[in-house]
Amino acid sequence: MTTPSSSSLPASRLITELQSFGVRLADPRAGAPSRRGGAGPSDHKAMTVDGRTVMVPVHTAGAFSSPYIAEPPGADGASLVRRDGVAMGRVTFPRQPRFHALQTMDGIPYSKIAVLHGADVLATTVLQTCIRYQSRTKTCQFCSIGQSLAAGRTIARKTPEQLAEVARAAVLLDGVRHMVMTTGTPATPDRGAAILCESAAAVKAAVDLPIQGQCEPPDDDRWFARLRDAGIDTLGMHLEAVTPEVRARIMPGKASVPLERYYSAFEAAVPVFGRGQVSTYILAGLGDSREAILAMAERLIGMGVYPFVVPFVPVSGTPLEDHPAPPPAFMHDLLSAVGGMLKRAGMRASDSKAGCGKCGACSALSLFED
Ligand code: SF4
């Protein structure tokens, strides 16, 4: 008999296939509720493959026609995944976290303040509005930060007190082990760094939880020491796309911060946070070639920056909802090449103190570091 954690495809292969194609769910109620809209992985559901929790698209147009279907979970909680009728592996679904059922004294559900990502990450978007999201011509074409706000599934501004309260509960009730704090970009030169500082300080005063802050490069490098001193352990400054042409096309507003500023910000931030504790998100499948992404990854690793390469997911309701996800073979080849670079450089996701690289639910990259 096959155990729930075993799969007939190697885990790295099954994960890249599921993240590229998405999966149809025979029982949509299985596991914790999926997310629609918002920053980070949306239109996804958390699933565990060979002991590793990953985010798999379930609400995208591609997922509705995916060749993969997950059968209803059996008595052991495991669900058989088939492709064209052939069993390809088994997945389990993480349970709904306990803290999601709580609310603040003034009646705001904790799940509108922060949610569980992956297996053990508390994730929040401190500021759910963004200067880049104000007009169709400026918005990042892949982003759905405003959708969950418009649908009432989150609140626009999470106060430091609210974040501290939810973080404490998530640690005590659900054993979360690190926290990701991202933010929409405000119309201030710090580009969100000040909001992250006050939020991190409040969380750290309430509970001992490693925190990754994520924002655009601030105007002044002195913000990096302020972020660290406030309690931010690792910092993500996300390129998303790596060539000027793709940046200008996919994220015309954010591309107004040139690549050169990202490079200088990485150079200033690595000595503050440490090698491998500064990272960037690279969305593969938006038009950057394999060679361009690998050249950028090599440059970043040389600077001590962890390049978290993730397959692009076309989120419903965004301008890119009909853009194809990258083919699994492209992702497999790309991730194995980046994984090889990381291995040679001795940089590992597991050495990161907090954040997306450590979580790894949105990309199989760390499986290729071994
Ligand atoms: S990799 Fe980052 S965005 Fe993805 S689930 Fe983990 S914490 Fe969330």
Side-chain angles (χ1 to χ4, degrees):
M1 186 180 148
T2 319
T3 62
S5 62
S6 69
S7 61
S8 42
L9 279 182
S12 59
R13 181 71 71 172
L14 183 59
I15 292 168
T16 35
E17 293 263 327
L18 292 178
Q19 290 192 321
S20 288
F21 286 117
V23 67
R24 290 175 289 142
L25 297 173
D27 179 4
R29 295 163 305 171
S34 45
R35 286 182 68 225
R36 285 174 185 263
S42 89
D43 291 9
H44 286 60
K45 199 175 197 63
M47 300 178 193
T48 303
V49 181
D50 265 357
R52 182 189 170 93
T53 301
V54 294
M55 304 305 284
V56 176
V58 294
H59 292 307
T60 59
F64 294 139
S65 55
S66 170
Y68 285 90
I69 182 163
E71 292 184 348
D76 60 357
S79 182
L80 189 63
V81 175
R82 294 184 184 277
R83 177 173 180 157
D84 302 325
V86 179
M88 304 303 285
R90 284 174 180 258
V91 300
T92 55
F93 299 91
R95 62 174 170 74
Q96 166 93 309
R98 294 187 186 93
F99 80 87
H100 276 202
L102 303 181
Q103 60 178 30
T104 61
M105 291 292 278
D106 48 352
I108 299 171
Y110 278 13
S111 60
K112 290 191 178 186
I113 296 167
V115 292
L116 185 74
H117 274 199
D120 55 10
V121 186
L122 182 66
T124 186
T125 302
V126 181
L127 184 66
Q128 199 81 29
T129 55
C130 182
I131 47 164
R132 314 289 185 211
Y133 201 77
Q134 305 302 324
S135 83
R136 268 284 181 253
T137 55
K138 282 190 183 166
T139 188
C140 300
Q141 308 277 293
F142 49 79
C143 181
S144 58
I145 191 171
Q147 286 177 216
S148 49
L149 182 61
R153 288 191 293 270
T154 187
I155 56 175
R157 174 79 164 90
K158 289 82 172 177
T159 67
E161 296 74 26
Q162 289 169 340
L163 292 169
E165 182 177 337
V166 176
R168 193 164 179 278
V171 170
L172 293 176
L173 296 178
D174 296 287
V176 306
R177 299 178 60 176
H178 53 127
M179 181 169 188
V180 169
M181 273 183 192
T182 193
T183 181
T185 303
T188 48
D190 63 273
R191 300 198 178 101
I195 288 171
L196 293 178
C197 281
E198 62 182 49
S199 305
V203 169
K204 276 283 164 71
V207 65
D208 184 17
L209 186 63
I211 301 171
Q212 178 178 61
Q214 300 178 348
C215 62
E216 293 187 34
D219 64 331
D220 185 335
D221 290 342
R222 283 177 295 184
W223 277 109
F224 299 131
R226 291 178 196 144
L227 285 160
R228 180 202 57 204
D229 295 346
I232 296 284
D233 297 279
T234 70
L235 183 65
M237 294 184 286
H238 295 172
L239 287 167
E240 327 284 7
V242 303
T243 49
E245 310 74 52
V246 179
R247 296 185 81 229
R249 177 166 54 83
I250 299 291
M251 38 184 216
K254 193 169 165 176
S256 63
V257 180
L259 282 171
E260 286 65 33
R261 174 57 191 138
Y262 277 82
Y263 298 142
S264 68
F266 290 139
E267 266 166 13
V270 169
V272 174
F273 292 95
R275 183 172 181 271
Q277 307 299 334
V278 176
S279 60
T280 195
Y281 230 83
I282 295 174
L283 291 169
L286 289 175
D288 287 322
S289 66
R290 172 186 186 277
E291 291 66 34
I293 293 174
L294 291 181
M296 179 61 82
E298 189 153 39
R299 177 172 187 163
L300 293 167
I301 292 168
M303 298 168 80
V305 175
Y306 185 88
F308 190 48
V309 179
V310 173
F312 159 70
V313 173
V315 175
S316 306
T318 66
L320 291 181
E321 66 177 1
D322 294 324
H323 190 289
F330 173 81
M331 284 312 301
H332 199 269
D333 174 61
L334 185 62
L335 294 179
S336 48
V338 177
M341 286 180 189
L342 288 164
K343 187 176 181 182
R344 285 190 292 280
M347 192 184 282
R348 298 174 61 91
S350 55
D351 292 334
S352 169
K353 294 177 198 161
C356 288
K358 187 178 188 68
C359 165
C362 286
S363 170
L365 177 58
S366 66
L367 288 174
F368 295 88
E369 293 168 12
D370 297 324

